[in-house]
Amino acid sequence: MAKLLEGKNIASQIRDTLSKRISSSTTKLCLVSIQVGDNPSAEIYTRSQKKNAELLGIEFQLLKLDYSISQERFIEFLNGLNNDTQVHGIIVQLPLPTHLDYKKISEFISPDKDVEGINPVNMGRLVFGRSKVVPCTAQAAVELVNSTGVNLEGKEVVIVGHSEIVGKPLALLLLDKLATVTVCHIGTAKNGHLEEHVRRAEILFVAVGKAGLIKGEWIKKGAIVVDIGINKVDDKIVGDVEFEEAEKRAEWITPVPGGVGPLTVMMLMRNLVSLAL
Ligand code: NAP
């Protein structure tokens, strides 16, 4: 039976380190999270951001903008925050209304306040292995694997999902560790090749958002499985991997919830400290 890769213990160690760094500084850190319109799923994340920020003595401001705000007004608003010396970090909460272009908006968050690591300048630095900030979920997933003590060099790593905020930065981080990285996506699935890639993964990351996409019997014996997906099924939160069967085969597996999630928000706090202190 697999050992559980839980995020909360690592998160609390990182919190202790950050707490010492913050209390030894005279700068009063301020993190601003922007939410557009009302959205229950965004509110779950902003509550967690607020709680974690306040535990570290970081001022947290949640700014709610009207659902109908135009892209131009949104960008003006961001520019105001970029120029405000009292603000050290900016988060744009997803989902955004469809009339707002997230990719365009990410270009207008100052790279020096971009705690989510989504500005193209920070993404570009990531390609060179030189970024101060890395998209939080990708970094959290790597921290979990590091905590097992595994050496990634030459390992067969398979990532399912190629989004800008998870799969793509994750692939870059793992390449930097000299892992052999395969990235699967909708094209892989459509061509019926997902199973064969997953079956040979020594380390598997899944970030799609489809419950039961990865069959437990596909998991290689002794694999490390990091399930990033979050899905609501019959009022329960589950990942993308069939957990019961997968845990019989894996050596390490993340629970959902309780795996990547608790670490993601701590990565946000660490990015803020890296940028501001
Ligand atoms: P996303 O932008 O929707 O990306 C999903 C990815 O999966 C896309 O690359 C998509 O490819 C691919 N895909 C779709 N169907 C597929 C299939 N049948 N087989 C293989 N690949 C397929 O989502 P995201 O923002 O990366 O998030 C992914 C999941 O992680 C979601 O469940 C989200 O809630 C969760 N998440 C968790 C955390 C956390 O802290 N735990 C943080 C962020 C996200 P195409 O784009 O080509 O269709």
Side-chain angles (χ1 to χ4, degrees):
M1 200 65 92
K3 289 167 271 187
L4 285 183
L5 261 180
E6 292 178 290
K8 63 175 188 291
N9 295 341
I10 311 170
S12 106
Q13 286 163 21
I14 296 173
R15 183 185 292 117
D16 290 347
T17 310
L18 293 179
S19 182
K20 286 187 193 120
R21 181 114 177 256
I22 292 168
S23 53
S24 67
S25 164
T26 51
T27 307
K28 174 72 187 163
L29 293 178
C30 172
L31 181 60
V32 173
S33 189
I34 306 167
Q35 185 184 327
V36 183
D38 286 320
N39 186 294
S41 70
E43 271 153 27
I44 296 173
Y45 295 119
T46 53
R47 266 202 303 277
S48 168
Q49 289 161 7
K50 181 174 190 307
K51 183 176 143 210
N52 280 280
E54 288 176 354
L55 278 171
L56 284 165
I58 296 166
E59 182 186 340
F60 180 83
Q61 291 181 16
L62 174 62
L63 301 181
K64 288 194 177 181
L65 302 181
D66 196 83
Y67 188 86
S68 63
I69 187 166
S70 68
Q71 174 115 339
E72 292 68 31
R73 285 283 302 128
F74 194 101
I75 288 169
E76 275 172 36
F77 186 76
L78 277 178
N79 282 334
L81 294 173
N82 288 337
N83 293 326
D84 184 340
T85 54
Q86 304 298 308
V87 172
H88 302 92
I90 301 169
I91 306 164
V92 175
Q93 209 57 58
L94 293 178
L96 289 176
T98 49
H99 67 275
L100 297 177
D101 177 352
Y102 181 64
K103 286 187 186 170
K104 194 77 205 156
I105 282 171
S106 71
E107 293 177 22
F108 289 88
I109 301 169
S110 162
D112 299 327
K113 299 190 179 186
D114 171 31
V115 287
E116 293 184 291
I118 53 163
N119 178 288
V121 171
N122 286 324
M123 286 284 191
R125 287 178 181 151
L126 182 59
V127 174
F128 289 99
R130 293 249 173 118
S131 188
K132 275 190 182 177
V133 287
V134 172
C136 303
T137 308
Q139 184 65 55
V142 172
E143 295 283 347
L144 281 173
V145 170
N146 286 343
S147 75
T148 69
V150 72
N151 179 4
L152 283 157
E153 188 173 327
K155 286 281 183 302
E156 283 293 336
V157 175
V158 174
I159 300 170
V160 186
H162 68 154
S163 71
E164 278 76 23
I165 59 160
V166 189
K168 285 180 187 171
L170 189 49
L172 291 170
L173 290 171
L174 295 164
L175 280 173
D176 259 3
K177 304 270 185 191
L178 298 182
T180 306
V181 183
T182 304
V183 183
C184 301
H185 40 70
I186 192 71
T188 323
K190 276 187 184 160
N191 283 282
H193 294 308
L194 192 54
E195 176 178 347
E196 70 196 56
H197 288 294
V198 171
R199 277 193 184 274
R200 60 175 180 72
E202 296 176 275
I203 306 175
L204 174 69
F205 296 89
V206 188
V208 172
K210 287 188 181 156
L213 175 72
I214 305 298
K215 305 296 166 217
E217 62 175 45
W218 298 355
I219 303 299
K220 190 182 177 77
K221 280 246 167 12
I224 300 175
V225 177
V226 180
D227 190 352
I228 299 163
I230 301 175
N231 308 287
K232 203 168 183 186
V233 176
D234 299 333
D235 281 336
K236 264 185 70 184
I237 300 294
V238 298
D240 294 343
V241 179
E242 285 180 350
F243 185 85
E244 280 73 20
E245 192 53 35
E247 76 166 337
K248 292 181 197 153
R249 305 174 69 84
E251 186 181 351
W252 289 96
I253 190 167
T254 51
V256 180
V260 181
L263 251 188
T264 299
V265 67
M266 200 49 66
M267 295 299 110
L268 201 60
M269 303 301 146
R270 191 164 76 181
N271 281 348
L272 176 73
V273 169
S274 301
L275 288 172
L277 298 184

